[in-house]
Structures are given as structure tokens and as C-alpha cells.
Amino acid sequence: MLVVLRHPQFRKLFTAQVVALVGTGLLTVALGLLAYQVAGGRAGAVLGTALAIKMVAYVAVAPVISALTLRLPRRLVLVSADAVRAGIALMLPFVTHTWQIYVLIALLQSASATFTPAFQSLIPSILVDEEDYTHGLSLSRLAYDLESLLSPMLAAALLTVISYHSLFVGTAAGFVASALLVVTTRLPRPATPEHPAPLLKRITAGAQIMLNRPVLRGLLAMNMVVAAATALVIVNTVVYVRDRLGGSNTGVALALACFGFGSMAVALTTPRLLARVPDRRFMLTGCVLLPPGLLAAALPPLLPRPAGAIALALTWVVLGAGTSMINTPSARLLRAQTQPADRTAVFTAQFSLSHACFLVTYPIAGTLGALVGLPTTAVVLAALATLATTTAVRVWPASVPTGAEAVAAAGR
């Protein structure tokens, strides 16, 4: 997998991604501590609102910014987004009211909604070879998983010698380093139409392309499967471990690590598997794994504590593996199903619409978990994942070609 780092452009961009992810991980820890300082016992509500703002920014802002910046150089877009994120990170330690947190988070996540799709849409033009691109996607997935595991530990180590306010400086440093790496990288010029469509049409162009192509309609349904499993893990791991199983904060971290381990194991093996297995079969296998995994998540609260903890760990590994089987190859579908001129719009649509699924599953996981308990919540999410899997199978028939021939046919 590391062979792909021989490409100098990808190596710099991947490094930029990693340092920005480290900065984001430090921000997550620092923001929680800041919310507690500002809001005290209402810190959870503040963080919940901040998470909702993040998702709204991802869903609503990304397509608009992508359309507005269509003809701008990618380097300018990426560096500007990093500069905004760094500036906001440096402002966060000075807030004294919750509304200030909300405004700054809205701006910061809007900048992230600008950066991420533009960044992702560049990689297919840099890693032209299909095998190299698959290795690049696996490496990128691995970076996300490692960040979720290592950043909290790095933050904990730093907090032994510095105040949490200084973590925001580390966040800003990560974004500045990302911008510097982008500035020094020779980026391909994106293909853009000579006469762009009206703004409203540009905003919806990516979504229209995805809805018009069976393969990408299948991916849209798979996004809901991923969201159902991920929401249960992100929202309720702490409830499983601390409330139902009597565990500690370390137990929460270990449970999340099990989810990350399952995801990383798949990311490491994806290039070899996709060389032998079609994308559709590979991704649908992930879809088929997740509903039983969610049903299994109903068991740990009902078992004695040692058995419940083991069951939770194994279930989280399965859920991590299943989500990675869908997430890791998804960008291959986006590249194969688009022409260069459409790529940024479609990557943006996938970014936006995949996060829209979380606006459905996060409230289900949180509200139902509090009202009717974790077993019922797991069953409801399993039913939702089953429905989405069935939809994916129906809208993406096995007879539909996946690669460039499908795009050529669609364009005729």
C-alpha cells in the first residue's frame, strides 16, 4: 500500500491530510473541554448542537461553495479553507458564551465542507492508475481510523504539560502545515466547462448525476447503511460501556478502538480483495454484514458484564469492518462513473448526501436510546440498514457496468 507514496504529489497531499486530521482530533478534545468551561453541566447539549451544526454545514454549504468556486484554482480553494480553519481555531480559546461557539463552529465546518470535497476530487487526477488509486483510498481510510485512535491519546499526553487552550494552537498549526504542503504541491488543473450553467443548476448538478446513474444510486442507499451502524457506535458507545456494562472511560476508548480496528483491518486488505472481487459484491457484502451486526448490538446490555463486554467488542469489530467495506471503495465508484468536468460536483454531492444520512440516524440513535433503551434502538437501526441494503441491491443491478464504459454510454 505504501508504494503509492512514491508519487510526489500524492505524498504531499496525503501528508497534508494527515496533519489536518491530527489538528482536527486535537480540536475535538479541546472543544469538549471548552464547552464544559463555558456551559458546565450543559456541555453535552452544547456539543450536541455543535455536531448538528457540523452536519448542516456539510449538507447545505458544501454544494453551494463547490458551485461558487467551480472556476477558481484548486490551490486557492484549499489554502483559503485551511486559512479560515486555522484562524477560527485560534479564536476559539477566547469565547465566553455558547452562541460564540456555535458561530465559530459553523464557520469552521463550512470551511471543512469546502476543503474536503475539493481535496478528494483532485486525487483521481493524480493517481490515474486504478491500482494506485485503490491503494491511495485504503491509505486515506487508514489515516482516518488511526486519527480517531491516536489523536485522543496525543491530546491526553499534551494535557499533562499544557492547558487545553494550547490544543487549539496545535489545531491551527495542523491547518497551517496542511496549507503549506498544498502550496508546494503541483496540482492538476480541474476540467471546467467554458460556459458554466446557472448557479442553481451547478449546486444540484452532482446530486442529479448520482440519481441518474444506477451505480451511484446504489451508493446513496449504502450511505444510509453506513450511517445506521456508525450512529449507534458514535452516539451510544459511552452508554453501553459506562451505563450498561459498568465500565470506565478507558473502556469507552477500547470499545471505540475495536470499531477502528475492524475498519483498519478491511482498509489494509481492500486493494488485494478488489483485485479479485467486483466492487458491487465487495460493498454489498459490507451491507449484508451490518444489519446482523446491529441486531447483535441488542445483546450486550442483556448479558452478564464480562460476556456483555466481549460481545460488545466483537460486535464493534464487525460494524467497523462492514462500514469500511462500503466507505473505502466508494470513491472508486465516483471516479469510474464521472467525467473529469463532473468530478468535483459529484464528489461534493456524495460528501453532502452521505452526511445527510446522519441527520436521520443520529437522532434515532440518541433519542430512541434514551426513551426505549439500547436493544430496541439497535433493532430499529438494523431494520433501517436492511431496508437500505435491499434498496441498494434493487437500484444497482449486477448487470449494470461499473466502470468507464457506463459513463461513456451515459454521455451518448
Side-chain angles (χ1 to χ4, degrees):
M1 189 187 301
L2 296 179
V3 172
V4 74
L5 294 177
R6 293 177 181 174
H7 294 261
Q9 293 166 286
F10 177 75
R11 183 172 62 247
K12 285 188 174 182
L13 289 178
F14 177 71
T15 305
Q17 178 194 19
V18 169
V19 296
L21 282 174
V22 171
T24 302
L26 296 179
L27 175 67
T28 300
V29 175
L31 188 61
L33 296 172
L34 175 65
Y36 186 77
Q37 176 181 302
V38 173
R42 293 184 56 254
V46 172
L47 290 175
T49 303
L51 181 62
I53 290 171
K54 172 184 175 179
M55 290 302 161
V56 171
Y58 282 5
V59 173
V61 174
V64 176
I65 296 296
S66 175
L68 291 173
T69 61
L70 178 65
R71 298 178 67 84
L72 294 180
R74 295 298 91 182
R75 180 180 284 108
L76 176 62
V77 173
L78 295 174
V79 171
S80 298
D82 270 336
V84 170
R85 296 195 291 184
I88 292 172
L90 292 176
M91 294 171 65
L92 279 166
F94 300 101
V95 305
T96 56
H97 297 86
T98 55
W99 69 265
Q100 295 168 339
I101 294 177
Y102 298 152
V103 171
L104 291 177
I105 289 300
L107 294 174
L108 187 145
Q109 299 301 348
S110 295
S112 293
T114 301
F115 181 94
T116 303
F119 176 89
Q120 291 174 338
S121 66
L122 278 174
I123 305 303
S125 301
I126 294 172
L127 299 178
V128 179
D129 180 76
E130 184 75 12
E131 185 176 356
D132 286 344
Y133 187 50
T134 303
H135 282 297
L137 293 177
S138 297
L139 202 59
S140 179
R141 182 73 253 163
L142 195 62
Y144 277 105
D145 293 330
L146 285 173
E147 181 275 324
S148 66
L149 295 176
L150 298 181
S151 287
M153 289 188 282
L154 174 61
L158 289 173
L159 286 170
T160 62
V161 293
I162 62 176
S163 71
Y164 81 86
H165 289 93
S166 299
L167 293 182
F168 290 112
V169 178
T171 297
F175 293 140
V176 170
S178 172
L180 291 174
L181 286 163
V182 171
V183 166
T184 58
T185 304
R186 183 171 57 86
L187 300 179
R189 190 174 184 85
T192 56
E194 292 185 9
H195 303 289
L199 177 61
L200 182 59
K201 189 171 183 179
R202 297 205 306 271
I203 291 172
T204 59
Q208 289 175 346
I209 291 172
M210 294 191 75
L211 291 172
N212 286 336
R213 295 185 181 161
V215 174
L216 299 185
R217 286 203 299 272
L219 178 58
L220 289 175
M222 292 180 187
N223 290 336
M224 184 60 78
V225 185
V226 170
T230 305
L232 184 70
V233 173
I234 297 299
V235 174
N236 286 319
T237 294
V238 66
V239 183
Y240 273 100
V241 175
R242 294 301 306 272
D243 191 47
R244 299 296 186 270
L245 299 174
S248 63
N249 288 337
T250 302
V252 174
L254 289 174
L256 291 172
C258 290
F259 182 78
F261 173 79
S263 181
M264 286 190 291
V266 169
L268 287 168
T269 58
T270 291
R272 291 196 300 273
L273 292 172
L274 288 179
R276 300 178 178 87
V277 179
D279 292 44
R280 182 181 184 275
R281 186 188 306 168
F282 185 80
M283 296 176 75
L284 285 177
T285 300
C287 289
V288 170
L289 276 177
L290 291 177
L294 286 165
L295 286 176
L299 295 177
L302 307 177
L303 297 173
R305 285 184 179 177
I310 294 171
L312 183 71
L314 294 176
T315 301
W316 262 218
V317 170
V318 171
L319 293 181
T323 55
S324 189
M325 291 181 76
I326 301 168
N327 281 332
T328 305
S330 61
R332 278 168 52 107
L333 300 186
L334 299 177
R335 181 172 83 157
Q337 290 287 305
T338 55
Q339 302 286 4
D342 302 327
R343 199 157 284 156
T344 298
V346 173
F347 270 83
T348 302
Q350 164 64 5
F351 179 82
S352 176
L353 295 174
S354 62
H355 283 91
C357 296
F358 288 102
L359 292 177
V360 176
T361 59
Y362 275 151
I364 291 175
T367 304
L368 281 185
L371 293 178
V372 298
L374 295 176
T376 302
T377 302
V379 171
V380 170
L381 289 171
L384 178 61
T386 301
L387 179 61
T389 298
T390 304
T391 303
V393 173
R394 291 174 63 88
V395 301
W396 180 5
S399 58
V400 175
T402 301
E405 68 274 16
V407 182
R412 287 197 293 266

